[in-house]
């Protein structure tokens, strides 16, 4: 039986002709480069599981490459960096042309959906020590139960010191977990409920310890034991958790996926796949024609609010610093002019068609894994609400850049109209008059603890971003 077509009769055959596997375009040297990239990328994913860790790792890499603090007043040759609140990171690379003609800008985000610990989180119940968590970003709660979790965190002490917490990643580290009810007894509390009601956020309580403190009697000894561990291990008192950012993330390294090892599975690929690609693309540039800026935002997953999110005016501050580093007046007027003349990629992963849930996509405008990164003219919801939408001329310019560089890419949209929706930071950059379009590799199981990408798409994403940054 023939599959029902939902593309209004233009036919699945045409659509297939438009989609081309990246694999067919890879030369032997490309394949070697792809494997090297993929291995490095898996290491990056496994090493940088929080927005701070992403920012720290990038800062380390660009500092090694000769980038200097843009606000230190030293001359900027290779490039400069600007960081805000230990998270939001901006990079600038001078071009052969000065900045008055605008920048080639890539923006991505380093945060990912996760569970945070609440400021007051430690408690004891039924002889067990537990921690209360708080959702961060759009995650499917049931995916986080009954699986090993690592804890990563940054604890700021009243005396100005900070303590880094990291547990659960080493092969012999203990992990934490959130328990789930056994199927024998789940009928009333889960099974007969709607999915949205079956997993209340307040039930995502983290199992932390079980052995009571040797001294004392009765209730409270397990909590006391837990507080003792926090104190002994990290020097933390219960009150210090109020000024801590403690994040629970899926434990363990990113892995190759598939019998053919053609894919990569791991946590946080939205959007660290773009972060990794953009860093590689930036550092590959040798004296680009146009100056470059790269911004790794935080807080994209909760709507870009906050001082480290894209709702802040950081892009203006970075542009001003770049102007000053280029010997130009960083005036309000100049900042506005150079931003309005800039062109940008909002680098974020896109939804790959899941063969098991095909009905959520419009076939013709859907992205297939392994068929190249996706150029998405507009995101948003039905009726283009919330979409900045790249204008036709800019789409043409991007197509030309990619095609001239031999990039295999796809033109896609998030899903069918009225199916749901989503967005990126694009509209917040468009506010400054920047030409911007969404672009990134398709990912399966997005926002889950184990997101999947294709090595071939990663490779093409780097090729595309390199070409974009080098474009004149
Ligand atoms: Mn994203
Ligand atoms: Mn996301």
């Amino acid at each position: 039986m023939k599959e029902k077509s939902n593309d209004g009769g233009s036919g699945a055959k045409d659509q297939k002709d438009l989609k081309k596997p990246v694999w067919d375009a890879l030369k032997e040297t490309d394949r070697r480069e792809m494997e090297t990239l993929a291995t490095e990328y898996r290491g990056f994913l496994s090493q940088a599981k929080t927005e701070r860790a992403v920012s720290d790792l990038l800062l380390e890499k660009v500092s090694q490459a000769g980038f200097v603090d843009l606000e230190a007043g030293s001359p900027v040759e290779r490039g400069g960096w600007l960081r805000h609140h230990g998270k939001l990171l901006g990079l600038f690379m001078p071009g052969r042309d000065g900045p008055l003609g605008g920048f080639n800008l890539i923006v991505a985000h380093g945060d990912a959906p996760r569970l945070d610990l609440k400021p007051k989180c430690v408690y004891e119940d039924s002889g067990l020590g537990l921690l209360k968590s708080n959702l961060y970003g759009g995650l499917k709660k049931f995916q986080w139960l009954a699986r090993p979790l690592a804890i990563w965190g940054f604890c700021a002490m009243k005396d100005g010191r900070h303590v880094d917490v990291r547990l659960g990643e080493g092969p012999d580290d203990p992990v934490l977990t959130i328990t789930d009810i056994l199927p024998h007894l789940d009928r009333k509390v889960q099974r007969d409920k709607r999915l949205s009601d079956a997993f209340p956020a307040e039930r995502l309580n983290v199992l932390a310890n079980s052995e009571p403190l040797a001294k004392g009697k009765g209730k409270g000894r397990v909590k006391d034991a837990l507080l003792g561990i926090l104190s002994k291990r990290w020097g933390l008192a219960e009150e210090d958790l109020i000024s801590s950012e403690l994040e629970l993330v899926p434990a363990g390294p990113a892995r190759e996926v598939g019998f053919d090892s053609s894919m990569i599975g791991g946590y946080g690929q939205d959007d660290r796949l773009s972060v990794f690609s953009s860093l590689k693309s930036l550092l590959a540039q040798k004296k680009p024609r146009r100056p470059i800026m790269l911004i790794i935002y935080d807080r994209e997953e909760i709507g870009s609010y906050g001082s480290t999110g894209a709702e802040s005016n950081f892009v203006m501050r970075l542009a001003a610093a770049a102007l000053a580093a280029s010997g130009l007046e960083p005036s309000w007027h100049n900042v506005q002019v150079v931003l309005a003349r800039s062109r940008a990629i909002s680098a974020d992963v896109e939804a790959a068609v899941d063969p098991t849930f095909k009905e959520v996509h419009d076939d013709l405008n859907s992205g297939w894994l392994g068929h190249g990164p996706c150029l998405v003219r507009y995101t948003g919801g039905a009726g283009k609400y919330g979409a900045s939408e790249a204008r036709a001329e800019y789409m043409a310019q991007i197509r030309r850049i990619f095609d001239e560089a031999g990039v295999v890419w796809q033109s896609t949209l998030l899903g069918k109209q009225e199916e749901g929706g989503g967005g990126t930071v694009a509209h917040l950059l468009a506010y400054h008059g920047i030409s911007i379009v969404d672009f990134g590799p398709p990912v399966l199981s997005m926002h889950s603890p184990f997101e999947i990408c294709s090595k071939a798409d990663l490779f093409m994403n780097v090729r595309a971003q390199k070409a974009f940054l080098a474009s004149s």
Side-chain angles (χ1 to χ4, degrees):
M1 196 173 77
K2 196 167 172 291
E3 196 183 330
K4 195 164 168 260
S5 170
N6 62 0
D7 58 11
S10 64
K13 189 166 169 288
D14 294 340
Q15 169 238 348
K16 275 196 191 107
D17 292 343
L18 283 173
K19 290 190 197 292
K20 182 179 165 196
V22 171
W23 303 94
D24 292 351
L26 295 178
K27 299 194 192 93
E28 209 39 53
T29 49
D30 294 339
R31 280 184 177 265
R32 279 199 294 276
E33 197 183 317
M34 178 186 79
E35 290 298 339
T36 308
L37 257 182
T39 304
E40 197 184 329
Y41 173 55
R42 276 193 290 124
F44 175 77
L45 276 183
S46 312
Q47 265 176 53
K49 291 199 181 177
T50 67
E51 68 286 6
R52 277 186 197 268
V54 167
S55 184
D56 286 347
L57 196 64
L58 256 65
L59 191 55
E60 187 190 318
K61 300 261 184 217
V62 299
S63 299
Q64 283 165 3
F67 281 55
V68 297
D69 181 351
L70 277 174
E71 289 184 340
S74 41
V76 175
E77 281 160 22
R78 179 70 170 137
W81 56 265
L82 185 64
R83 190 149 84 143
H84 194 56
H85 290 172
K87 302 179 182 189
L88 171 52
L89 183 67
L91 302 173
F92 160 64
M93 183 182 279
R96 300 199 300 278
D97 293 350
L100 283 179
F103 301 95
N104 288 350
L105 166 66
I106 295 181
V107 295
H109 66 93
D111 63 319
R114 61 177 190 257
L115 296 172
D116 289 338
L117 289 186
K118 292 192 181 189
K120 291 198 305 204
C121 58
V122 184
Y123 72 104
E124 173 181 330
D125 197 346
S126 313
L128 298 171
L130 296 140
L131 300 167
K132 286 208 75 71
S133 73
N134 204 113
L135 305 176
Y136 177 91
L139 49 83
K140 293 164 82 165
K141 288 167 276 184
F142 63 85
Q143 293 177 337
W144 292 70
L145 308 181
R147 59 170 302 131
L149 298 171
I151 184 164
W152 290 54
F154 177 94
C155 310
M157 313 297 272
K158 277 198 293 188
D159 61 9
R161 286 179 306 120
H162 82 266
V163 176
D164 287 314
V165 168
R166 193 173 296 186
L167 185 71
E169 296 294 351
D172 298 321
D173 276 8
V175 294
L176 305 179
T177 194
I178 295 170
T179 54
D180 197 2
I181 189 70
L182 63 167
H184 318 60
L185 296 175
D186 78 347
R187 179 172 296 168
K188 286 183 187 158
V189 292
Q190 268 178 359
R191 205 185 320 167
D192 291 349
K193 292 186 171 177
R194 287 155 50 98
L195 185 59
S196 52
D197 300 327
F199 299 93
E202 292 297 341
R203 279 203 173 142
L204 298 186
N205 300 318
V206 183
L207 181 60
N209 71 317
S210 66
E211 183 180 343
L213 200 67
K215 283 179 286 186
K217 268 194 190 139
K219 204 165 179 272
R221 286 166 62 207
V222 182
K223 178 180 171 180
D224 288 345
L226 177 51
L227 293 176
I229 294 166
L230 296 179
S231 167
K232 194 172 162 202
R233 201 157 191 149
W234 294 291
L236 295 171
E238 188 173 11
E239 208 181 87
D240 295 327
L241 302 181
I242 294 171
S243 55
S244 295
E245 297 167 2
L246 291 162
E247 306 181 9
L248 292 151
V249 296
R255 306 286 297 266
E256 291 187 319
V257 173
F259 287 115
D260 57 359
S261 300
S262 61
M263 296 166 279
I264 293 169
Y267 164 71
Q269 302 205 54
D270 174 6
D271 186 33
R272 293 167 193 153
L273 178 45
S274 306
V275 171
F276 174 80
S277 301
S278 60
L279 179 72
K280 297 301 287 184
S281 309
L282 176 72
L283 294 180
Q285 303 298 321
K286 308 266 183 268
K287 297 262 169 219
R289 175 75 180 271
R290 281 161 66 88
I292 292 170
M293 293 200 302
L294 176 62
I295 303 178
I296 307 302
Y297 283 113
D298 177 30
R299 304 192 69 73
E300 193 273 347
E301 293 295 357
I302 51 87
S304 295
Y305 301 103
S307 65
T308 53
E311 281 267 14
S312 71
N313 68 1
F314 183 77
V315 69
M316 297 171 69
R317 190 173 146 211
L318 181 63
L323 281 164
S326 311
L328 292 162
E329 179 65 31
S331 64
W332 187 89
H333 176 78
N334 278 346
V335 167
Q336 300 310 309
V337 167
V338 296
L339 288 181
R341 291 174 182 166
S342 295
R343 58 176 94 113
I345 280 178
S346 169
D348 210 340
V349 295
E350 308 295 342
V353 169
D354 185 328
T356 309
F357 300 97
K358 279 170 77 168
E359 68 270 29
V360 303
H361 295 281
D362 158 23
D363 266 357
L364 204 56
N365 290 285
S366 64
W368 285 5
L369 201 79
H371 289 63
C374 303
L375 186 64
V376 186
R377 202 169 99 194
Y378 51 89
T379 58
K384 299 191 180 180
Y385 283 100
S388 64
E389 186 158 8
R391 67 192 198 287
E393 305 93 305
Y394 189 53
M395 291 298 288
Q397 191 172 24
I398 296 289
R399 283 174 57 207
R400 189 175 63 243
I401 292 168
F402 289 168
D403 289 347
E404 283 174 5
V407 175
V408 179
W409 58 278
Q410 349 177 30
S411 166
T412 74
L413 297 172
L414 177 61
K416 274 184 188 161
Q417 296 185 72
E418 300 173 329
E419 198 70 47
T424 66
V425 299
H427 67 287
L428 299 168
L429 281 302
Y431 166 82
H432 299 279
I434 298 171
S435 296
I436 188 162
V437 67
D438 282 287
F439 181 71
V443 161
L444 288 167
S445 300
M446 198 195 288
H447 281 206
S448 82
F450 196 66
E451 300 176 316
I452 309 289
C453 78
S454 159
K455 287 180 179 176
D457 294 334
L458 165 66
F459 174 78
M460 272 304 161
N461 196 45
V462 173
R463 178 179 284 183
Q465 291 192 349
K466 277 182 187 168
F468 170 77
L469 292 180
S471 66
S472 53

